[in-house]
Amino acid sequence: MGFTVSKVNRELKHLIKSGDEIQKINNEDFIDYVDYVYFSAQKNLKIDLKRNGKHISVNINKDEDTPLALEFKESLFGKKRVCLNNCIFCFVSQLPKGLRKTLYVKDEDWRYSLIMGNYITMSSISDAELTRICKRGASPLYISVHTIDEGLRKKILGNETARPIKETLNILLENNINFHAQVVLMAGINDGKVLKETIGYLSSLENCLSLAVVPVGLTKFREGLYPISVLNKESAEKAIDVINIAQKEILKKRGTRFVFPSDEMYLRAKYVLPQYEEYEDFCQIENGVGMIRLFEREVKNAIEDFSDVKPIKRKISIATGMDSYDFMVECINNIKSAFDIDVLIYPIKNDFFGDSITVSGLITGGDLNNQLLNKPLGKELIIPDCMLRDRKDTFLDDVTVDELSESLNVKVCPVKADGESFVLSVLGQKEI
């Protein structure tokens, strides 16, 4: 397999030309983007390529920090590797029919895990690919473990041929490949003693950097699927208590709390969230771990930083998920105390997926429209941009931002989910 060069930086034009097909680098097959990044970091390169039907080799000597800066006609990722599992909690299996096709694609590509932080199970990875991960130093990865009980894990994954997780993680350990882990928690399945054992094993691996525990997400479209109960107040409390005990023990041994429940877990248990400092470096922020405390701190800092800014006089509204409503009200009250603003805030119930789904990121355009129609919204409706997917202007149900704006007769303003961007939007400022 080779990749055709479409653009060459000026320094290499005497060696590589547009239209050249690169086939090998340093006598190894040029497979994808991971290879490109790996070899770009090296000083001495021998590149085998095909030019006008002829095979030639060129030698490049450069500084390690100088990239090759080549562009290619083809995607350096090729075909995305999809998941072969049939997880009992799989969110894709809980989607209704008729949504756009990309929502039904189950990703299981370690390259996207490395580059974008996508979680993968490693359950169907081949020996050759695992060797390649180690050889390329692909670190850190993000791995969905769920449990270290091999039999139970196969049941959870719906895959009797799943690669043993302990064996896989030990190979990564032997080759200095770090990883972050997650457990999707299901009451009566992988909580209690099973969760305790999973935390204990993963914390014993020095290459496991952190572990997030997140509640299973269950939509109303589960007819015929494996019976799973919503993680309720009692089961969330018990899980957090197990985690709190583990945190104290691991902190003494490793100097890190290591395992972190997501914010949603605390909200379900009706527990007070940990303080900002207890989230350490917020390494599991994409899993909703510490997101509220981080946003709270960013809002506080922004209020102080922009204390001399005069807000644009207009009435605005904010839409948020049920989970974050109380917290967002507190943030708005803090902003109101510092600035003269007129803000309304609305919690949005998830009728589309079911009311057990309470996070902002899964709110649809249809639910926003149905619940805000004929409500006083002011000049602008601010929403977090995590509600939008793929095309950046489209909700999960294919309603566009423009369509929602027209229906509600208000300007809908998606805002980055960070405190500074939020405060600036409330004040009517794009940037300072």
Side-chain angles (χ1 to χ4, degrees), residues 315-319 325 332 336 342-346 375-378 380-382:
K315 188 173 184 177
I316 62 172
S317 53
I318 297 167
Y325 174 71
I332 286 298
K336 281 183 175 180
D342 190 359
V343 184
L344 295 168
I345 183 165
Y346 296 102
K375 294 278 180 67
L377 299 176
E380 295 178 9
L381 171 64
I382 294 174

Side-chain angles (χ1 to χ4, degrees), residues 321-332:
M322 301 298 292
D323 268 354
S324 55
Y325 174 71
D326 290 341
F327 161 71
M328 290 301 295
V329 168
E330 184 179 338
C331 285
I332 286 298

Side-chain angles (χ1 to χ4, degrees), residues 51-332:
R51 179 183 297 163
N52 299 325
K54 296 181 179 180
H55 293 274
I56 62 173
S57 296
V58 298
N59 294 303
I60 296 175
N61 300 309
K62 63 178 187 61
D63 294 332
E64 288 183 354
D65 296 332
T66 303
L68 283 173
L70 300 174
E71 294 182 16
F72 297 87
K73 289 183 179 180
E74 309 91 348
S75 167
L76 289 185
F77 282 101
K79 190 175 181 180
K80 183 179 285 191
R81 292 146 195 196
V82 297
C83 182
L84 301 179
N85 299 322
N86 186 27
C87 294
I88 61 174
F89 63 85
C90 179
F91 196 81
V92 173
S93 299
Q94 303 177 72
L95 294 177
K97 295 179 180 180
L99 301 179
R100 60 182 177 274
K101 292 180 180 180
T102 54
L103 294 178
Y104 301 98
V105 176
K106 297 191 291 184
D107 173 28
E108 178 71 11
D109 197 322
W110 67 266
R111 300 169 303 174
Y112 287 93
S113 179
L114 173 66
I115 295 163
M116 301 176 65
N118 293 4
Y119 271 94
I120 55 173
T121 66
M122 304 282 282
S123 59
S124 57
I125 194 163
S126 66
D127 288 342
E129 280 296 277
L130 188 55
T131 298
R132 186 164 171 253
I133 286 172
C134 298
K135 191 173 184 179
R136 294 290 181 254
S139 178
L141 296 174
Y142 293 78
I143 302 176
S144 292
V145 175
H146 306 316
T147 176
I148 48 90
D149 180 311
E150 300 290 0
L152 178 58
R153 188 166 190 266
K154 288 179 179 180
K155 179 181 177 181
I156 289 173
L157 298 180
N159 183 358
E160 285 299 318
T161 63
R163 186 184 189 104
I165 187 63
K166 287 184 178 180
E167 171 192 291
T168 303
L169 298 183
N170 282 322
I171 290 173
L172 297 182
L173 175 63
E174 291 166 3
N175 289 275
N176 300 313
I177 303 297
N178 295 330
F179 69 97
H180 296 275
Q182 76 168 355
V183 165
V184 174
L185 197 66
M186 293 162 280
I189 297 177
N190 63 339
D191 58 351
K193 182 181 178 181
V194 175
L195 176 62
K196 184 177 179 180
E197 291 174 349
T198 300
I199 295 171
Y201 180 78
L202 291 176
S203 66
S204 72
L205 302 176
E206 62 184 32
N207 65 324
C208 186
L209 304 179
S210 71
L211 170 62
V213 180
V214 303
V216 64
L218 304 175
T219 78
K220 64 184 182 184
F221 304 100
R222 286 195 58 82
E223 185 176 352
L225 299 179
Y226 190 92
I228 301 174
S229 301
V230 173
L231 201 72
N232 59 21
K233 182 178 185 295
E234 182 183 2
S235 50
E237 284 177 353
K238 289 180 179 178
I240 292 175
D241 291 345
V242 168
I243 293 168
N244 285 343
I245 293 171
Q247 279 186 334
K248 292 174 184 177
E249 295 174 353
I250 298 168
L251 184 60
K252 292 177 182 177
K253 295 178 182 178
R254 293 188 51 170
T256 172
R257 292 170 179 82
F258 177 74
V259 56
F260 304 91
S262 68
D263 294 359
E264 191 178 357
M265 292 272 289
Y266 286 100
L267 294 173
R268 293 197 185 188
K270 299 190 183 305
Y271 276 7
V272 176
L273 287 164
Q275 294 303 304
Y276 177 90
E277 292 75 16
E278 294 180 55
Y279 289 102
E280 300 177 9
D281 60 357
F282 292 85
C283 58
Q284 289 274 5
I285 193 70
E286 295 299 327
N287 246 328
V289 175
M291 189 174 290
I292 289 177
R293 287 301 188 208
L294 180 60
F295 189 88
E296 179 183 65
R297 177 65 63 89
E298 291 171 342
V299 167
K300 180 181 178 181
N301 291 341
I303 290 172
E304 294 174 355
D305 292 343
F306 307 137
S307 58
D308 58 346
V309 172
K310 292 183 178 180
I312 295 175
K313 291 287 184 180
R314 82 252 193 259
K315 188 173 184 177
I316 62 172
S317 53
I318 297 167
T320 188
M322 301 298 292
D323 268 354
S324 55
Y325 174 71
D326 290 341
F327 161 71
M328 290 301 295
V329 168
E330 184 179 338
C331 285
I332 286 298

Side-chain angles (χ1 to χ4, degrees), residues 20-71:
D20 285 353
E21 183 183 292
I22 297 179
Q23 298 180 320
K24 290 179 179 289
I25 304 180
N26 286 356
N27 297 318
E28 294 189 44
D29 289 336
F30 180 27
I31 297 175
D32 56 22
Y33 179 79
V34 173
D35 285 345
Y36 177 72
V37 173
Y38 175 79
F39 287 115
S40 286
Q42 298 186 19
K43 294 174 66 174
N44 302 312
L45 301 175
K46 177 193 173 189
I47 299 181
D48 295 330
L49 50 84
K50 184 188 290 186
R51 179 183 297 163
N52 299 325
K54 296 181 179 180
H55 293 274
I56 62 173
S57 296
V58 298
N59 294 303
I60 296 175
N61 300 309
K62 63 178 187 61
D63 294 332
E64 288 183 354
D65 296 332
T66 303
L68 283 173
L70 300 174
E71 294 182 16

Side-chain angles (χ1 to χ4, degrees), residues 335-394:
I335 299 173
K336 281 183 175 180
S337 67
F339 302 95
D340 182 18
I341 57 172
D342 190 359
V343 184
L344 295 168
I345 183 165
Y346 296 102
I348 304 299
K349 180 182 175 184
N350 202 316
D351 292 324
F352 186 88
F353 288 115
D355 57 15
S356 67
I357 302 295
T358 53
V359 295
S360 296
L362 293 175
I363 291 174
T364 62
D367 281 347
L368 285 166
N369 185 68
N370 294 339
Q371 296 174 46
L372 296 179
L373 198 63
N374 301 320
K375 294 278 180 67
L377 299 176
K379 295 288 185 181
E380 295 178 9
L381 171 64
I382 294 174
I383 63 169
D385 65 358
C386 63
M387 292 182 183
L388 307 175
R389 290 291 187 272
D390 289 349
R391 287 168 268 178
K392 303 298 182 184
D393 64 347
T394 308

